[in-house]
Amino acid sequence: MPLKVIYKSLLYSILSYFFGFALVLAAEDGDLEARTTAVMKAFDHDVKPILAAYCLRCHDEAKHKGDTDLSGLSSGAAAFADRSLLTHGFTKLLAHEMPPARERQPSADERRQVAAWFSSMRRLTPRDPGESAFRRLSRAEYANTLHDLLGVDPAVAADLPGDVAGAGFTSSIAPVLMEKYLLVADEALDQLIRPEQMRLSWKAGQLDAVVDGKPDPGRAEGAERRVVGPGQLAALFPAPSDGTYTITVRAASERVGKEPLRLAVRCGTRVVGELAITAPLKSPATYSLTCKLPAGRTSLALIVVNPFIEAMEPPPVKPAPPAAAPRPGPPPAASPRPPAGKAPVAKEPAKPLAPPTVRTLLIETIDLVGPPGQAPSAAQRRLFTAVPGKDLAKREAARRIATDFARRAYRRPATAAEIDVLLSVFDLADGQDEVFSEAVKLMLKGALVSPQFLFITGDSGGDDPAGVTPLGDHELAARLSYFLWSTMPDDELSALADAGTLHEPARLAQQVRRLIADPRSSAFFDSFAAPWLGLDRLDALPVDEQRFPQMTPALRRAMYDEVVQFFGAVLREDRSLLELIDADFTYLNGPLAKLYGLEGEVKGPQLRRVALTDVNRGGLLTMPGVLAVTSLPNRTSPVKRGRWVLEQILGQSAPQPPMNVAALEQQDTPANAGLNLRQRTELHRRDPACAGCHRVLDPLGFGLENFDPLGRWRERDDTGLAVDATGELPGSGAFHSPHELKRALAARRDEICRALAGRLLAHALCRSLAGYDEIVADDLAAAVALDGCKLQSLVVAVATSYPFLNRRTER
């Protein structure tokens, strides 16, 4: 018989036993209105008398203790109208928080009757996968994804701000965070894509030119160019790295004058050398020089240094023929005499200079070769899945690279529009003469800062009439891999998504178990278990170093890793989740073994599996990491430890302390200065304002009082008095040691399983549970209980649940 059918049969049997009439058994397949009517009548018949007998004496309109008035729940219809009040009251009742211990208590059957009705009331909620979380990758997910996508160290993302656990990361990306993403993308790609040897070649007609002070447009076909007189040719180029570059010019000049035409080569603002162009115009030759250049965009200019041939004297004038004899006439006037002592100077007529002769320069091509590039790494070769050549244009090679990279980075095939966006970035870089690898790097950077990469986006199929659509296989692959690995899908998941077969139930369950077996599932502890247990605070936990000098960074790391390996063993070995409460093994190294009193059995820094024979040890509650985060810097805290057990293990909400209540230490007086912690706490609990919290929390926390803030066993407390580990678990009776506390908790199997099912489902959906989610969590817990409460089975059930596989669409 299918598991679902077995569970339904069991549920209906329980409901029939408690309610005693057939209307409640209308089942989930019946008419909603009929089922609602049946549940309302069941409230009047079976639940209202219990409220009247045990609750209304303190929580009616007149007294309403704890600001809770249940008198309004006078009928089934009234109860449905105020579900929040109903949920609040029933939660307290079912958690044995109410009625107070001094009051008359409901029987176990009466509490089960209320629980069964409460479950049937919740099952009236329509089937709904809940709000869809369009969420950003967390910092850890982002770092892990960069590692798997590019092969870079996850530490590259260490400067990104931390995330708030449980927030879902749905907010838009702030400008400051976007700038961080840009910097991280730069660093990651710089590590990966090494500069290649630059080879650029221009035809002279392609270059900008200035001739005789005027711009000279180039030729469309990029042919040779003649520069007559003053002029220069210029271009911009990117130098990918510092080093020595070779500039080669194929040129010629007109042979006139004695001095060859000199061509200066300027890079940036510095002239790096000159070339003497001697080849005749009909036979151009190549001329080269080398120079050192820094990385970055640089201007190249070829400048004619001597555009003119030096000025020449005019040719000598031939003497004129003899003239006819002059006619008689008056003598010419006498020239003035020169001053005494000076000989007369004869004046020669000025000789006009010939006009300057301009030189002609012909340039065909300019080549630029950079320093030898580094050999591409294996990761770079995986990125550059196409290389331009004689049979493949640069843009087509870039398209192939963009298509392959986007398929992995976006966790699905990219659309044509998305590829065009990436190619527009490549075109921008290529249009500025960036070398191919640099243009591709800029294009890939665009992918790494796109919403398609930074957010987990969907590829859902068609809508159904109920406004719900199943997740597409690519979105399912991403949701699954980020749930268990905190990183992108691997090749096997991606191939199944491409084939459209991942959603098949048997195949999906097999993939969940494969992901759990993979070492990458250790990320599941960091993302889920560490925040759940509070161990994400261990690294920065304040500790009194004078009292506890042993609390070194290495010990903190070992405390954390012990829980990582223990949780992983329970999960991967398909063990019962009750072993999280009590187990006969753990993982220790030398420093941890000292805390356990086993320093003679384990040595060295490496953790190894160790069998435990002390019944007070074993399980999460007694591990040093958990005991440390539930302590104060200088002493234990029964309140913190009790709250941890109540909330993290049993899934119950601890009462909130009233405002303006002084800390326990601030209430010390000379009269109670000699009391130990338990005595002072009991005195504190006599205050009516404090009793509400401490009555529930203290008895649980004192069950772990034998362990100091580092998790070491002790028989006496800080005052030298014998430790009293007596306590009480509401609804389960008293205990007198950590072992008895663990045994009492393990007996609450259903509550523990339901609490963990709810936490796991919320973590998988990246949001708080609401509405139909609670029904799903109930069913998950019940199904897993029938399967031996195996932790791995619970994870598989969550990953194959209705809310995990579907999303709500706009209605």
Side-chain angles (χ1 to χ4, degrees):
M1 185 181 296
L3 184 62
K4 185 176 181 182
V5 174
I6 294 175
Y7 171 64
K8 279 191 174 182
S9 176
L10 179 63
L11 174 66
Y12 296 160
S13 297
I14 294 173
L15 294 177
S16 178
Y17 172 76
F18 284 131
F19 296 149
F21 55 88
L23 284 176
V24 177
L25 303 183
E28 292 185 0
D29 300 326
D31 178 73
L32 178 61
E33 183 176 352
R35 288 191 290 125
T36 302
T37 301
V39 173
M40 286 183 179
K41 288 183 177 180
F43 178 89
D44 295 335
H45 183 270
D46 294 292
V47 178
K48 183 179 175 181
I50 295 175
L51 292 179
Y54 300 101
C55 305
L56 292 182
R57 191 170 72 85
C58 296
H59 299 288
D60 60 1
E61 186 177 2
K63 293 184 179 180
H64 56 269
K65 289 186 177 181
D67 293 327
T68 301
D69 178 9
L70 300 178
S71 61
L73 305 178
S74 56
S75 66
F80 270 65
D82 196 348
R83 291 199 184 190
S84 61
L85 176 62
L86 186 73
T87 301
H88 172 73
F90 280 16
T91 299
K92 298 286 187 182
L93 180 69
L94 298 177
H96 295 264
E97 291 182 30
M98 289 291 167
R102 63 180 179 275
E103 302 291 341
R104 188 166 67 96
Q105 298 292 314
S107 67
D109 281 352
E110 287 174 320
R111 290 188 195 270
R112 283 195 292 267
Q113 187 165 325
V114 172
W117 181 88
F118 193 42
S119 176
S120 68
M121 184 272 293
R122 289 199 303 193
R123 288 183 175 277
L124 298 175
T125 305
R127 200 178 194 210
D128 181 8
E131 295 290 340
S132 299
F134 179 66
R135 72 175 186 90
R136 173 176 54 84
L137 298 181
S138 71
R139 181 174 67 176
E141 291 171 341
Y142 176 77
N144 292 339
T145 303
L146 284 182
H147 170 72
D148 289 354
L149 182 65
L150 303 176
V152 298
D153 190 336
V156 72
D159 287 340
L160 287 176
D163 301 300
V164 179
F169 318 114
T170 56
S171 59
S172 60
I173 297 177
V176 173
L177 185 56
M178 194 69 236
E179 184 177 343
K180 290 281 189 182
Y181 280 129
L182 288 167
L183 293 174
V184 172
D186 270 336
E187 183 178 348
L189 292 173
D190 284 345
Q191 291 180 23
L192 186 66
I193 301 178
R194 301 173 179 177
E196 62 186 47
Q197 186 177 34
M198 187 187 68
R199 291 181 177 272
L200 291 177
S201 182
W202 296 279
K203 290 184 178 180
Q206 296 173 319
L207 304 183
D208 297 328
V210 175
V211 177
D212 200 17
K214 298 178 182 179
D216 179 35
R219 303 179 187 181
E221 66 274 17
E224 65 185 29
R225 190 190 292 272
R226 289 176 182 262
V227 177
V228 181
Q232 70 176 38
L233 277 71
L236 288 172
F237 70 93
S241 60
D242 297 347
T244 301
Y245 289 75
T246 301
I247 301 169
T248 302
V249 180
R250 183 170 177 81
S253 67
E254 189 176 11
R255 296 181 66 89
V256 290
K258 298 177 181 179
E259 183 183 23
L261 183 142
R262 299 186 348 256
L263 190 62
V265 180
R266 185 181 69 202
C267 291
T269 60
R270 181 171 62 92
V271 174
V272 297
E274 283 190 4
L275 302 172
I277 309 298
T278 59
L281 291 175
K282 292 184 179 181
S283 303
T286 56
Y287 302 87
S288 299
L289 62 80
T290 60
C291 60
K292 291 187 178 296
L293 298 176
R297 291 188 66 79
T298 304
S299 61
L300 170 67
L302 305 179
I303 306 167
V304 179
V305 176
N306 52 345
F308 300 108
I309 299 173
E310 62 273 10
M312 302 180 64
E313 296 182 357
V317 180
K318 296 181 180 179
R327 296 181 179 175
S335 299
R337 294 183 179 183
K342 291 191 178 181
V345 179
K347 281 188 175 182
E348 297 183 3
K351 298 179 180 179
L353 295 175
T357 301
V358 294
R359 296 178 184 274
T360 298
L361 170 68
L362 180 142
I363 298 181
E364 290 186 346
T365 59
I366 301 98
D367 294 314
L368 183 67
V369 178
Q374 299 180 16
S377 64
Q380 183 170 340
R381 288 193 296 271
R382 285 197 302 270
L383 274 186
F384 285 77
T385 53
V387 179
K390 64 178 182 179
D391 298 325
L392 185 64
K394 284 195 296 184
R395 197 172 193 275
E396 182 56 31
R399 179 183 292 276
R400 295 184 188 180
I401 293 172
T403 301
D404 293 340
F405 183 77
R407 168 61 187 85
R408 299 181 65 226
Y410 297 169
R411 283 85 63 175
R412 56 172 173 76
T415 65
E418 290 167 340
I419 297 300
D420 287 342
V421 169
L422 296 180
L423 285 177
S424 68
V425 179
F426 173 84
D427 292 340
L428 179 65
D430 187 57
Q432 296 181 8
D433 297 324
E434 288 283 4
V435 295
F436 182 73
S437 63
E438 292 298 312
V440 169
K441 182 191 293 186
L442 192 64
M443 177 180 72
L444 299 184
K445 180 180 175 181
L448 293 180
V449 297
S450 67
Q452 292 89 336
F453 175 73
L454 297 176
F455 289 82
I456 297 179
T457 56
D459 63 342
S460 303
D463 297 350
D464 69 9
V468 174
T469 182
L471 268 60
D473 276 35
H474 292 104
E475 185 179 4
L476 177 57
R479 176 175 280 194
L480 189 60
S481 66
Y482 282 103
F483 171 42
L484 294 174
W485 285 354
S486 294
T487 190
M488 60 186 285
D490 66 351
D491 291 342
E492 185 170 337
L493 271 180
S494 297
L496 291 172
D498 289 343
T501 59
L502 179 60
H503 67 278
E504 296 172 359
R507 194 181 302 275
L508 179 59
Q510 182 270 331
Q511 284 298 306
V512 176
R513 296 190 186 275
R514 180 182 73 85
L515 266 62
I516 291 173
D518 191 281
R520 280 172 284 189
S521 64
S522 61
F524 179 60
F525 180 90
D526 297 330
S527 64
F528 168 70
W532 165 44
L533 302 174
L535 289 177
D536 55 339
R537 308 190 306 270
L538 182 59
D539 188 50
L541 184 72
V543 174
D544 188 334
E545 296 180 357
Q546 290 186 339
R547 292 201 61 189
F548 305 106
Q550 305 90 339
M551 195 64 158
T552 62
L555 183 61
R556 291 175 190 255
R557 186 71 246 178
M559 287 178 171
Y560 186 91
D561 289 343
E562 177 193 12
V563 190
V564 171
Q565 295 203 28
F566 172 74
F567 182 86
V570 175
L571 177 61
R572 294 192 187 98
E573 296 173 14
D574 206 16
R575 291 173 172 266
S576 168
L577 60 85
L578 295 180
E579 290 195 54
L580 297 175
I581 307 302
D582 195 10
D584 60 1
F585 72 96
T586 190
Y587 292 82
L588 302 178
N589 65 1
L592 272 178
K594 290 182 180 179
L595 302 184
Y596 276 77
L598 300 174
E599 56 267 28
E601 300 183 24
V602 182
K603 298 183 183 300
Q606 297 300 320
L607 271 73
R608 64 181 179 87
R609 190 159 177 159
V610 176
L612 298 174
T613 57
D614 183 354
V615 294
N616 286 308
R617 290 286 188 181
L620 295 173
L621 278 72
T622 66
M623 289 187 173
V626 172
L627 292 166
V629 298
T630 55
S631 296
L632 295 174
N634 60 349
R635 66 166 177 83
T636 59
S637 174
V639 176
K640 293 184 69 172
R641 288 178 176 178
R643 179 182 292 274
W644 187 91
V645 171
L646 191 68
E647 293 183 339
Q648 313 311 118
I649 302 301
L650 295 176
Q652 300 176 16
S653 298
Q656 296 300 314
M659 298 179 63
N660 303 320
V661 175
L664 189 63
E665 288 79 359
Q666 296 174 352
Q667 300 181 35
D668 284 345
T669 65
N672 61 23
L675 303 180
N676 67 3
L677 179 60
R678 185 178 190 110
Q679 292 166 337
R680 283 187 287 130
T681 303
E682 290 175 349
L683 185 63
H684 178 72
R685 195 161 62 233
R686 294 177 187 174
D687 185 341
C690 305
C693 296
H694 291 273
R695 183 179 59 82
V696 177
L697 303 178
D698 294 355
L700 287 174
F702 276 117
L704 300 171
E705 189 63 9
N706 280 113
F707 299 104
D708 77 354
L710 296 187
R712 295 175 296 190
W713 181 265
R714 59 183 185 171
E715 296 289 346
R716 296 188 175 275
D717 61 21
D718 296 338
T719 64
L721 297 177
V723 170
D724 181 2
T726 301
E728 182 181 359
L729 179 62
S732 300
F735 53 81
H736 303 87
S737 67
H739 169 59
E740 292 183 6
L741 169 61
K742 292 189 296 178
R743 188 170 59 187
L745 287 171
R748 306 279 281 268
R749 183 193 69 169
D750 293 343
E751 290 177 58
I752 294 172
C753 192
R754 174 57 178 83
L756 189 54
R759 285 188 176 275
L760 268 172
L761 183 60
H763 173 70
L765 300 177
C766 300
R767 58 173 174 78
S768 300
L769 301 188
Y772 187 73
D773 299 330
E774 300 289 353
I775 300 174
V776 173
D778 289 345
D779 289 350
L780 292 175
V784 170
L786 293 175
D787 190 34
C789 291
K790 293 180 178 179
L791 180 58
Q792 186 174 132
S793 297
L794 178 57
V795 175
V796 173
V798 167
T800 55
S801 65
Y802 178 77
F804 192 88
L805 300 178
N806 295 271
R807 68 162 61 249
R808 184 192 299 168
T809 58
E810 295 296 330
R811 296 181 180 179

